[in-house]
Amino acid sequence: MFKTLVTMSLAVSIAAGTFGVALGEDKAPVKIGWAAWSDAEFVTKLAAKLINDKLGHEVELVQTDIAPLYQGVSRGDLDAMMMAWLPETHADYFAKVKDKVTTLGTVYDGARLGWVVPKYVPEDAIASIDDLKKDDVKEKLKGRIEGIDPGAGLTRLSEQALKDYELDSYKLQISSEAGMLTTVDRAVRKEQWFVATSWSPHWMFGKYELRYIDDPKDALGKAERVNVLARKGFETDNPEVAGFLSRMKLPIGDLEAAMFNAQETSYEKAVDKYIADHPDQISAWLAKDGG
């Protein structure tokens, strides 16, 4: 159960939440930061639930943008974050803090970034980013690429992709994940053409029939891993939780299914279902010897 906390500040004022109730005055809350992306929300709330219920530690969830997350962990304002996309997506952010944080583990790998179109768009019309230069395609797309928040690594790489592919007549519509998804939903209902920035894992692939278009220049990177970062000293201060986070790893297919379930129900219900459906996996994460 979440309850509202007083707004706190990292690099900017942010909203904070507490997962569960205090389980002992002698234990400082474990502060985990996350940005409002659906994959990050699920894995963070799953970890918080298990830390709270199984390890007996209060968890404070801090939601903010990606740059303040890296800054917060590096300064020790946050204990951990579970959404470091590497080696490319968050390369700039990680480079600034790599000597001030500890990598606990990889929560999932095989992640990717890219641009997607609905499957009703013929592949002979749009198969790759290069095809966006076609006059008839540009007209259909109204010179727009649907984007997400300005601080996202995907946004930075997409801006570079526009330059690499010389798509000068296109504009990246910087918005948010929610804004991009609203546009996608509206377009799909009307069977309109669109290109949207996206990533896997994401529940949108369970709801809509989408396909990635080729990126022959690799402007948007290749396969990524998503790491758990912690502040320096966290492993010593809280070895039980640090060990748990280091062992927490989700197959990407399981994660996408859980994210889609969260959209159909709620994140809290999806977390409960995941725990109930994966007892052996959860036991391995919680086992102090990792076995």
Side-chain angles (χ1 to χ4, degrees):
M1 185 69 64
F2 288 94
K3 61 183 180 181
T4 302
L5 289 179
V6 176
T7 299
M8 60 181 295
S9 173
L10 291 175
V12 295
S13 292
I14 55 181
T18 296
F19 198 111
V21 295
L23 301 179
E25 294 300 324
D26 58 328
K27 296 179 181 178
V30 177
K31 295 183 180 179
I32 304 178
W34 63 288
W37 303 337
S38 51
D39 52 329
E41 183 167 6
F42 182 80
V43 297
T44 302
K45 289 182 176 178
L46 174 60
K49 175 76 171 175
L50 292 169
I51 293 168
N52 191 28
D53 290 359
K54 303 298 185 181
L55 300 181
H57 291 265
E58 181 184 0
V59 179
E60 194 174 294
L61 296 186
V62 181
Q63 181 187 334
T64 185
D65 294 330
I66 190 67
L69 286 180
Y70 277 91
Q71 294 164 9
V73 175
S74 70
R75 292 198 307 259
D77 296 333
L78 294 172
D79 291 311
M81 59 181 282
M82 303 183 67
M83 51 184 300
W85 280 62
L86 297 167
E88 297 293 335
T89 308
H90 292 168
D92 289 353
Y93 295 123
F94 185 70
K96 295 175 182 177
V97 304
K98 63 181 181 179
D99 296 328
K100 302 176 182 177
V101 300
T102 299
T103 299
L104 294 181
T106 299
V107 70
Y108 54 93
D109 50 28
R112 67 171 293 185
L113 304 177
W115 291 359
V116 298
V117 297
K119 287 186 177 178
Y120 54 74
V121 172
E123 288 198 46
D124 59 1
I126 305 179
S128 79
I129 296 177
D130 275 320
D131 289 327
L132 303 187
K133 296 177 182 177
K134 299 175 182 176
D135 289 338
D136 57 335
V137 169
K138 182 170 59 178
E139 184 177 351
K140 281 270 197 179
L141 296 173
K142 300 177 182 176
R144 293 169 56 105
I145 307 295
E146 306 303 333
I148 58 169
D149 31 319
L154 176 55
T155 299
R156 174 179 59 82
L157 293 173
S158 293
E159 289 173 331
Q160 185 60 47
L162 290 176
K163 297 175 183 177
D164 291 349
Y165 287 93
E166 299 179 347
L167 298 174
D168 301 332
S169 57
Y170 279 84
K171 181 179 180 182
L172 180 65
Q173 300 295 318
I174 295 175
S175 175
S176 64
E177 179 188 5
M180 177 271 289
L181 290 167
T182 297
T183 300
V184 166
D185 187 74
R186 186 183 304 119
V188 168
R189 291 175 187 275
K190 298 178 180 179
E191 290 204 2
Q192 295 174 334
W193 287 26
F194 64 85
V195 174
T197 64
S198 189
W199 63 95
S200 298
H202 200 291
W203 59 263
M204 66 192 296
F205 293 97
K207 183 171 183 178
Y208 309 111
E209 293 190 347
L210 305 169
R211 60 179 174 85
Y212 283 103
I213 59 177
D214 292 337
D215 174 16
K217 297 181 186 293
D218 288 330
L220 300 169
K222 299 180 181 179
E224 296 273 274
R225 65 184 181 275
V226 179
N227 286 349
V228 182
L229 302 185
R231 62 171 173 82
K232 288 289 187 181
F234 182 62
E235 291 175 293
T236 301
D237 296 341
N238 200 327
E240 186 177 39
V241 173
F244 162 75
L245 291 174
S246 73
R247 293 186 293 271
M248 188 174 171
K249 188 176 181 70
L250 286 75
I252 203 164
D254 290 353
L255 176 55
E256 282 197 322
M259 291 161 61
F260 184 62
N261 182 37
Q263 294 301 311
E264 297 294 298
T265 58
S266 69
Y267 280 94
E268 286 71 26
K269 289 181 179 178
V271 163
D272 288 342
K273 184 178 186 332
Y274 194 94
I275 293 171
D277 291 350
H278 299 83
D280 293 341
Q281 191 180 96
I282 302 301
S283 294
W285 297 347
L286 293 168
K288 292 184 179 180
D289 61 0

